[in-house]
């Protein structure tokens, strides 16, 4: 478990992000080729605290404020946007879990504060059984799913008497799911945003999320800003490359230096 603090200043944390960005940049080609973050990049991000940014200090995390989270993810994205994107989506998933889980699911979620948690808003189906649900479906755009131990999945609860079908969300182990490696992108291919597939996966009631409580507590603006940060970093990284190329470029006209 990683324990860090940003009391006083975020400079050491941002320095760690820059160090991780350099390591991830060296792996960026392999990350894009393999359509998943390499082990080296994941380890560098983990060491820097990328996957514990939004976790409470009381749980062993960093609990960085929004400004620090954005700057950290932008620095990481400057070296490898895919690594930063998985860190950003993990951050938001863990913030959801801190708000809307039972004590049992919370203990599972934060046993390792540096773990990756993936999620998908695509909806699967659910069948009620005593003590829980049986869920099935295909959940696409699950960034980092091959690195994640847990996944937040959306499902549709069936109609019950006079009550119409209702949306719900569950917290599932990725080992109970399979991965359809269908993520083929020209950019951010390394996010590994493949599709998770499940068939009659058992989810105990303790691992259903409290959607009303989550919706009341989270700010959509803060989520949007946090997810924008890796893209800001990617733009800065692209500018770094252009500046470097122009600095070394010579004119084709011999009359000009």
């Amino acid at each position: 478990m990683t324990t860090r603090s940003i009391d006083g200043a975020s400079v050491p944390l941002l320095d760690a992000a820059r160090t991780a960005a350099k390591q991830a940049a060296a792996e960026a080609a392999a990350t894009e080729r393999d359509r998943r973050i390499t082990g080296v990049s994941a380890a560098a991000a983990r060491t820097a605290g990328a996957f514990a940014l939004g976790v409470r200090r009381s749980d062993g995390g960093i609990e960085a404020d929004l400004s620090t989270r954005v700057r950290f993810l932008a620095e990481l994205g400057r070296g490898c946007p895919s690594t930063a994107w998985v860190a950003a989506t993990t951050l938001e998933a863990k913030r959801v879990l801190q708000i809307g889980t039972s004590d049992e699911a919370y203990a599972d979620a934060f046993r390792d504060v540096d773990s990756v948690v993936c999620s998908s808003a695509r909806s699967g189906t659910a069948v009620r059984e005593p003590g829980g649900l049986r869920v099935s479906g295909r959940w696409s755009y699950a960034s980092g799913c091959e690195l994640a131990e847990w996944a937040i999945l959306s499902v549709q609860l069936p109609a019950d008497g006079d009550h119409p079908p209702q949306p719900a969300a569950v917290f599932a182990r990725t080992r109970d799911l399979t991965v359809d490696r269908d993520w083929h992108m020209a950019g951010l291919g390394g996010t590994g945003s493949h599709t998770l597939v499940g068939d009659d996966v058992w989810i105990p009631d303790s691992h259903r999320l409290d959607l009303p409580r989550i919706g009341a507590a989270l700010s959509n603006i803060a989520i949007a800003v946090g997810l924008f940060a890796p893209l800001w970093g990617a733009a800065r990284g692209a500018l770094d490359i252009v500046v470097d190329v122009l600095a070394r470029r010579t004119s084709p006209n011999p009359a000009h230096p």
Side-chain angles (χ1 to χ4, degrees):
M1 181 176 291
T2 302
T3 305
R4 303 177 184 86
S5 173
I6 59 167
D7 287 340
S10 60
V11 172
L13 185 60
L14 298 181
D15 285 343
R18 295 184 188 103
T19 298
K22 291 178 182 178
Q23 294 173 287
E27 297 285 306
T31 289
E32 291 296 301
R33 180 196 66 221
D34 297 341
R35 291 177 292 143
R36 60 173 291 167
I37 297 170
T38 68
V40 171
S41 294
R46 181 183 178 106
T47 298
F51 303 127
L53 276 180
V55 179
R56 295 173 183 140
R57 291 191 188 96
S58 58
D59 291 320
I62 293 172
E63 200 173 350
D65 61 23
L66 178 60
S67 175
T68 301
R69 297 198 304 264
V70 168
R71 287 184 289 157
F72 182 103
L73 292 169
E75 290 293 349
L76 186 57
R78 196 169 181 171
C80 180
S82 289
T83 301
W85 179 260
V86 172
T89 54
T90 290
L91 187 155
E92 297 304 334
K94 288 182 175 178
R95 291 180 66 220
V96 164
L97 293 170
Q98 287 177 153
I99 296 168
T101 55
S102 67
D103 291 344
E104 183 179 342
Y106 192 98
D108 283 338
F110 297 102
R111 184 171 291 112
D112 177 6
V113 297
D114 294 299
S115 65
V116 173
V117 177
C118 64
S119 60
S120 173
R122 295 293 174 136
S123 186
T125 61
V127 176
R128 289 188 178 91
E129 290 189 0
L133 302 171
R134 292 280 179 186
V135 304
S136 301
R138 293 178 58 86
W139 294 275
S140 53
Y141 308 112
S143 300
C145 59
E146 292 180 296
L147 296 172
E149 180 183 359
W150 293 92
I152 298 174
L153 306 175
S154 296
V155 295
Q156 191 81 358
L157 296 176
D160 183 10
D162 294 332
H163 299 286
Q166 295 290 326
V170 300
F171 191 44
R173 288 188 183 275
T174 54
R175 72 185 184 196
D176 296 330
L177 306 160
T178 58
V179 176
D180 182 358
R181 302 192 86 246
D182 59 356
W183 181 249
H184 301 274
M185 295 295 291
L188 291 179
T191 61
S193 302
H194 305 295
T195 296
L196 290 170
V197 182
D199 183 20
D200 282 338
V201 177
W202 171 250
I203 305 292
D205 283 334
S206 61
H207 284 57
R208 281 179 58 183
L209 304 187
D210 188 335
L211 292 184
R213 186 165 47 150
I214 292 167
L218 287 183
S219 163
N220 288 332
I221 294 177
I223 293 172
V225 170
L227 292 177
F228 171 77
L231 307 182
W232 175 30
R236 293 173 67 197
L239 181 59
D240 290 340
I241 294 172
V242 171
V243 170
D244 180 64
V245 169
L246 290 179
R248 294 182 287 105
R249 184 175 181 272
T250 57
S251 172
N253 186 343
H256 294 85

